Amino acid sequence: MLTLSLFRFAAAMIRWSLNLTTWLVARSLNMPEPVVHDTGVFVFAQVQTIENRVFRALCPMRLVRQLRSLLQR
């Protein structure tokens, strides 16, 4: 019971701090909050896509297969 209430409190604090941060950034940039939020989501999605491509290229099994194919030539 105590763990559940602590979890709810932590979730509420995370949401509150995210809203406060968005408000502060929007205020400092003199932009509407939804624009700042959507820009953050867009940037996150772009970074996630790039990371997925890089980590897929550096996958250990893929590198092993490429090394084997180079050694067989």
Side-chain angles (χ1 to χ4, degrees):
M1 185 80 165
L2 178 64
T3 306
L4 182 60
S5 61
L6 287 175
F7 181 73
R8 286 181 181 166
F9 176 73
M13 288 304 297
I14 290 171
R15 177 176 283 167
W16 180 82
S17 64
L18 183 63
N19 288 339
L20 177 65
T21 305
T22 304
W23 181 80
L24 287 172
V25 170
R27 182 96 180 191
S28 68
L29 295 175
N30 198 19
M31 295 173 61
E33 284 183 57
V35 173
V36 172
H37 182 266
D38 292 342
T39 303
V41 170
F42 177 75
V43 168
F44 176 78
Q46 291 296 320
V47 169
Q48 188 70 29
T49 302
I50 292 168
E51 286 180 354
N52 286 344
R53 286 181 187 167
V54 167
F55 290 133
R56 189 178 308 133
L58 296 176
C59 175
M61 292 306 293
R62 183 175 183 207
L63 291 175
V64 167
R65 277 186 264 128
Q66 287 178 347
L67 180 64
R68 283 183 185 166
S69 69
L70 286 173
L71 293 176
Q72 288 177 356
R73 291 183 189 174

